[in-house]
Amino acid sequence: MDRILLDITGVQRIDGQSDKIQLTTMGTLRDDGTAYIVKYTEEQAPPVSPVKVTVRIQKDKSAAGITRSGAIDTCLLIERSKRNLCHYNTEFGDILMGIYGKDIEIEHNGESGSFFFSYDIDVNGSLASKNSIDIEFKINRNSENTGEN
């Protein structure tokens, strides 16, 4: 498992308008043979507790999964050209969303790389937003390796 520096950009498009969220943080990257697994923590404004995020990208580019746990619990499954139902748990209750996967791309040269995926979200069958996530990473050789496998 390698320590990595992450630059994450999420874009959400709704009714011709676009909203971009950017985050730079430290995390870990592990290759389990069939998938790349990225883990990091999103700090939240107090008193909200941090959110732990795990992103699993299949090496064959068939699927990407995003699991968030903490103040908001979600598990999105993005499969290319497939629609999956996913729960989005908020403090106000659960929302059932459809996730239609579009693109999944991987670039990894051993020291750095990127993961990109795009998907549409629908609620009650109506398109809610078009989304993309771009995760760029650089292995941090200056920090200690975690030693976990």
Side-chain angles (χ1 to χ4, degrees), residues 62-74:
S62 63
I66 305 169
T67 303
R68 299 177 54 147
S69 60
I72 297 173
D73 294 324
T74 62

Side-chain angles (χ1 to χ4, degrees), residues 40-58:
Y40 63 93
T41 300
E42 290 179 358
E43 297 297 329
Q44 306 294 314
V48 180
S49 60
V51 175
K52 294 182 187 274
V53 181
T54 301
V55 182
R56 180 182 178 91
I57 306 101
Q58 294 300 122

Side-chain angles (χ1 to χ4, degrees), residues 15-63:
D15 295 329
Q17 299 206 0
S18 174
D19 185 30
K20 182 190 290 188
I21 297 172
Q22 294 181 292
L23 170 68
T24 299
T25 190
M26 295 299 294
T28 60
L29 172 66
R30 184 168 64 95
D31 178 348
D32 76 356
T34 60
Y36 294 108
I37 300 158
V38 175
K39 292 186 177 189
Y40 63 93
T41 300
E42 290 179 358
E43 297 297 329
Q44 306 294 314
V48 180
S49 60
V51 175
K52 294 182 187 274
V53 181
T54 301
V55 182
R56 180 182 178 91
I57 306 101
Q58 294 300 122
K59 286 181 163 185
D60 67 3
K61 303 178 187 177
S62 63

